[in-house]
Amino acid sequence: MNPGDAIPELRTTPDRFLTVRYAGASGDFNPIHIDEEFAKQVGLPGRILHGLWTMAQVARAQTEAAGGPQSLARLAVQFRGMGVPEAELEVTGEVREVRDGVAIVDTRAVQNGKAIIRNAEAEVRLPTIQG
Amino acid sequence: MNTDAVGKTYAPTVYAVGREKIKEYALAVGETNPLHLDPEAARAAGFRDVVAPPMFCVVYSSPSIGPAIFDPDVGINFAMMVHGGQEFAWGPLVVAGDEITTTVSVKSIEERAGNGFYVFESQSVNQEGETVCTGTWTNIVRGMS
């Protein structure tokens, strides 16, 4: 990871029941994520993704790029708009700078052409080079 | 808007991290790294048990963050609330068998461009007293004025 390098792209398509599994796994049962009727009643197009699930995809793109969970030191994101099930999500990022063995990565998550996570910044600990 | 709750700190919660819960969470977010799924692989890599993905912090901190966000003293209008931003900083990895104590406080409440910004801070500490995660949770309430 050097300044200017892109991290490997992460692409994933949340299936129809992903929000239900994530609700159980995370404990966030807000009905806007799991109840189609409720979501529509409050003016949403339908059930929407949990923002923190989408943030977990941004986190996974960093740990997969850097070689494991110990590499992620910090992640800050802004949520914009909303994600939906059954549409591909794409996480991309570029290394902005490297200092003291930590890469600063500008990163984002895009779905249907819109950045639903934007202005995200990750700090990734780089593996120590032996020798 | 009422900012009296700024600085308020809530009772800590303790979360016991389980192997199957880590696996359930890891699968829900699409993790394939065997460190999260396979105790043998985790032990071979020098860990006591399976390792939580960094974002598992939302699981062990949620029992503490919930009461703060729902606190009537904070007074969030949920019908108009969106999760605006989130930041986590991580220390040592969390593994199955850890007990994580999380304390949440109200960091700031401010109005900007007609919207209310409610910012909470969480600090999660393991049984050795090491800070494993700090979180900054920003909720935006639209149309405050």
Side-chain angles (χ1 to χ4, degrees):
Chain A
M1 281 187 156
N2 296 306
D5 287 355
I7 64 167
E9 211 171 73
L10 182 150
R11 288 172 181 271
T12 184
T13 302
D15 67 47
R16 189 173 167 196
F17 300 112
L18 178 276
T19 58
V20 177
R21 292 198 305 282
Y22 183 80
S26 69
D28 180 350
F29 288 95
N30 187 327
I32 60 175
H33 304 301
I34 53 181
D35 183 337
E36 193 78 12
E37 289 303 308
F38 180 89
K40 286 179 174 165
Q41 275 169 23
V42 297
L44 297 168
R47 296 172 303 130
I48 62 169
L49 299 179
H50 296 76
L52 291 170
W53 178 85
T54 309
M55 185 178 179
Q57 305 313 305
V58 176
R60 187 158 68 87
Q62 316 306 316
T63 55
E64 289 183 357
Q70 68 286 345
S71 58
L72 189 58
R74 180 178 157 272
L75 179 61
V77 307
Q78 291 178 3
F79 300 109
R80 285 295 180 279
M82 55 200 76
V84 294
E86 301 186 275
E88 188 178 60
L89 183 81
E90 184 188 7
V91 180
T92 56
E94 308 81 35
V95 178
R96 189 200 315 152
E97 60 173 301
V98 176
R99 55 174 186 234
D100 304 327
V102 175
I104 314 295
V105 180
D106 292 314
T107 181
R108 66 207 64 80
V110 174
Q111 192 185 45
N112 293 323
K114 287 181 301 191
I116 58 172
I117 284 183
R118 67 179 187 189
N119 296 333
E121 184 181 270
E123 291 184 18
V124 179
R125 298 178 191 108
L126 301 176
T128 309
I129 295 156
Q130 302 295 320
Chain B
M1 69 197 296
N2 186 349
T3 60
D4 291 352
V6 173
K8 184 170 179 178
T9 298
Y10 299 84
T13 60
V14 180
Y15 183 95
V17 179
R19 181 188 292 168
E20 297 298 337
K21 189 68 189 180
I22 288 178
K23 188 174 176 182
E24 179 191 7
Y25 177 86
L27 292 173
V29 297
E31 290 284 0
T32 55
N33 189 326
L35 288 180
H36 307 310
L37 305 171
D38 177 2
E40 290 305 317
R43 284 188 203 109
F47 297 100
R48 199 177 62 245
D49 206 320
V50 294
V51 176
M55 285 295 293
F56 187 82
C57 60
V58 307
V59 177
Y60 58 71
S61 52
S62 72
S64 194
I65 200 79
I69 292 175
F70 288 101
D71 181 0
D73 287 352
V74 175
I76 289 179
N77 173 6
F78 291 98
M80 300 301 283
M81 186 186 88
V82 294
H83 193 174
Q86 185 67 56
E87 177 175 348
F88 292 114
W90 290 276
L93 288 172
V94 168
V95 301
D98 281 355
E99 288 204 359
I100 310 297
T101 302
T102 299
T103 308
V104 169
S105 58
V106 183
K107 192 178 182 192
S108 63
I109 300 176
E110 351 178 292
E111 187 173 326
R112 275 186 271 164
N115 296 318
F117 284 73
Y118 294 81
V119 182
F120 300 87
E121 197 159 65
S122 62
Q123 187 185 28
S124 300
V125 175
N126 66 15
Q127 65 281 358
E128 313 291 340
E130 300 164 318
T131 297
V132 292
C133 186
T134 55
T136 306
W137 312 62
T138 302
N139 291 295
I140 302 174
V141 176
R142 291 166 291 154
M144 292 294 287
S145 56

